[in-house]
Amino acid sequence: MTTTNIYQLPDLLARFPEKSGGVNPHLAEVNDEHIKWLNDCPAFGPSDREALHKAWLPLLAASFFPKVDANALRAITDYVTATVILDKTNDTATEEKAEEFSLLYTSAFNNPSEGIKHKPPFFQLISSLALALGGYIEPAYRMDFLSANGIFAWSTAQEAIERRAAQDTNAKMTMEAYFTTRRDSVSIRPYIVLIRSTRSLSIPKDVLHEPSVRGMEEATIDLIIIANDIYSYKKELAEDNAPHNLLTVLLNDPPTPHLDLQGAIDYAGKLFELALDRFRGCRVALPSINEETDRMLVEYADGLSDLFVGGIEWGLVVPRYQVFDTEEHRQNRWMVL
């Protein structure tokens, strides 16, 4: 006999500030093109193609970047697709294979036109997805983007190493260790650079290193991690018992072993509120440099808000997660397991 449990999810959207731009108006045309590409691309088998369809990646790109033009949205959608392919590939790879895929991925972005000419197929595929984005990264931001993208790639390999270590020692991951790796593997740092590039925000390096600016960026990453793990838990639990999910970590972390799943969800909601408070506090504390830099900092904060609000809106509706079984469940934020 199957036991059904209903869990109450927090209303994360109710806690968010207003987005600056809504969903990108070019979503429909880019989505149609992306679907055609997925259906025609010989690199995917039926299951991979279905998984990418369910991910609805153009919507994620359009929610993250509501103000870019259609060509930029196409390029960003390609980038989102590349990150999801690497993440999914390394999810089940051995640590040796994960390191190999991460190296191929970073090499593809470093020189996509060369990578298209070579095998293996994974290298060619990522190179083809990386090619368009190069034209939409202003030269002043290219090295920062490649650095952030490389950190993301190697962090997905680090997750494979951590999975292997947990299997070998039966050790439980702590919340602190989880966030340390996840802040890089969630792939948000490259998007943060893309915000500055697509909006031509030439914020001086020393200003970017101000505690309030760095604090906004770090809070943005934590907000996306927490929300994503809440909404993806049901899918991950069905696939492989969700070993690398914040809720699982909270159920096993020594400071919180008393929590049941509803308690872990509630605790994650409180972590979310703390991260949002940090973001707002840092935004209020932004330095005043001069009129133009101050304007760019305000726009930068708006762009970061687009990331975490857009990630929530995508997570709630994307078929990949299927958080809610019915519209009634959606309205009441009931997750049924």
Side-chain angles (χ1 to χ4, degrees):
M1 181 176 178
T2 302
T3 301
T4 299
N5 293 305
I6 300 177
Y7 299 93
Q8 179 75 63
L9 301 188
D11 188 357
L12 301 183
L13 277 179
R15 297 174 170 90
F16 276 110
E18 289 289 326
K19 279 186 71 176
S20 65
V23 175
N24 193 292
H26 303 291
L27 171 60
E29 59 185 290
V30 173
N31 189 61
D32 288 345
E33 294 165 1
H34 182 74
I35 290 172
K36 185 179 186 308
W37 173 79
L38 275 181
N39 291 337
D40 294 343
C41 183
F44 304 123
S47 61
D48 292 330
R49 186 172 287 113
E50 180 184 7
L52 286 169
H53 276 302
K54 287 182 176 180
W56 201 357
L57 300 179
L59 175 62
L60 182 57
S63 300
F64 276 176
F65 293 89
K67 295 184 176 180
V68 299
D69 64 26
N71 287 330
L73 184 62
R74 290 184 184 97
I76 293 169
T77 297
D78 283 353
Y79 178 64
V80 176
T81 304
T83 64
V84 169
I85 289 171
L86 176 66
D87 189 54
K88 183 66 175 176
T89 300
N90 279 355
D91 265 352
T92 56
T94 64
E95 54 189 290
E96 294 82 6
K97 278 295 185 181
E99 290 177 351
E100 179 183 335
F101 285 127
S102 294
L103 176 61
L104 290 173
Y105 174 93
T106 53
S107 298
F109 273 92
N110 288 338
N111 194 352
S113 59
E114 187 66 21
I116 289 174
K117 304 174 186 177
H118 295 283
K119 295 181 178 180
F122 178 85
F123 195 11
Q124 291 180 321
L125 175 61
I126 299 299
S127 296
S128 68
L129 291 168
L131 195 60
L133 187 63
Y136 291 93
I137 301 178
E138 294 185 11
Y141 307 94
R142 178 171 172 78
M143 292 309 298
D144 284 348
F145 172 79
L146 290 178
S147 174
N149 189 52
I151 290 170
F152 152 68
W154 287 107
S155 294
T156 66
Q158 179 62 34
E159 286 188 351
I161 293 171
E162 291 176 356
R163 284 196 304 272
R164 174 68 177 270
Q167 291 170 358
D168 290 348
T169 64
N170 202 30
K172 303 297 184 182
M173 184 177 295
T174 65
M175 185 170 66
E176 180 180 1
Y178 176 75
F179 271 106
T180 297
T181 300
R182 189 69 176 134
R183 285 180 179 126
D184 292 328
S185 69
V186 74
S187 84
I188 296 302
R189 295 190 196 277
Y191 295 115
I192 289 175
V193 179
L194 286 176
I195 289 172
R196 300 200 299 272
S197 178
T198 58
R199 295 177 181 233
S200 298
L201 302 178
S202 53
I203 301 169
K205 289 286 187 183
D206 61 326
V207 177
L208 286 175
H209 285 92
E210 286 281 338
S212 57
V213 181
R214 294 293 296 272
M216 278 200 313
E217 295 173 348
E218 295 301 322
T220 295
I221 293 169
D222 285 357
L223 286 164
I224 292 172
I225 289 171
I226 296 164
N228 182 265
D229 279 13
I230 290 173
Y231 296 139
S232 67
Y233 180 78
K234 182 175 181 177
K235 168 184 174 290
E236 294 177 32
L237 186 68
E239 288 181 349
D240 59 1
N241 213 30
H244 217 271
N245 183 288
L246 176 60
L247 300 185
T248 302
V249 173
L250 289 172
L251 290 171
N252 293 287
D253 195 13
T256 56
H258 59 284
L259 296 176
D260 58 11
L261 181 54
Q262 184 63 61
I265 292 169
D266 295 342
Y267 194 99
K270 292 177 182 177
L271 292 175
F272 183 91
E273 291 179 358
L274 291 173
L276 185 56
D277 287 344
R278 293 203 319 271
F279 180 89
R280 289 171 170 161
C282 288
R283 183 167 188 166
V284 169
L286 288 173
S288 180
I289 310 298
N290 54 56
E291 185 176 353
E292 178 60 9
T293 302
D294 293 356
R295 178 196 67 78
M296 289 190 292
L297 285 173
V298 170
E299 189 168 350
Y300 190 33
D302 287 342
L304 293 172
S305 295
D306 287 340
L307 284 185
F308 58 72
V309 178
I312 286 289
E313 293 176 336
W314 172 79
L316 283 168
V317 301
V318 64
R320 181 186 193 186
Y321 293 157
Q322 295 182 315
V323 186
F324 307 112
D325 294 341
T326 68
E327 186 56 34
E328 180 188 10
H329 292 176
R330 182 186 305 280
Q331 293 296 324
N332 290 283
R333 304 186 313 281
W334 293 336
M335 180 177 72
V336 178
L337 299 178

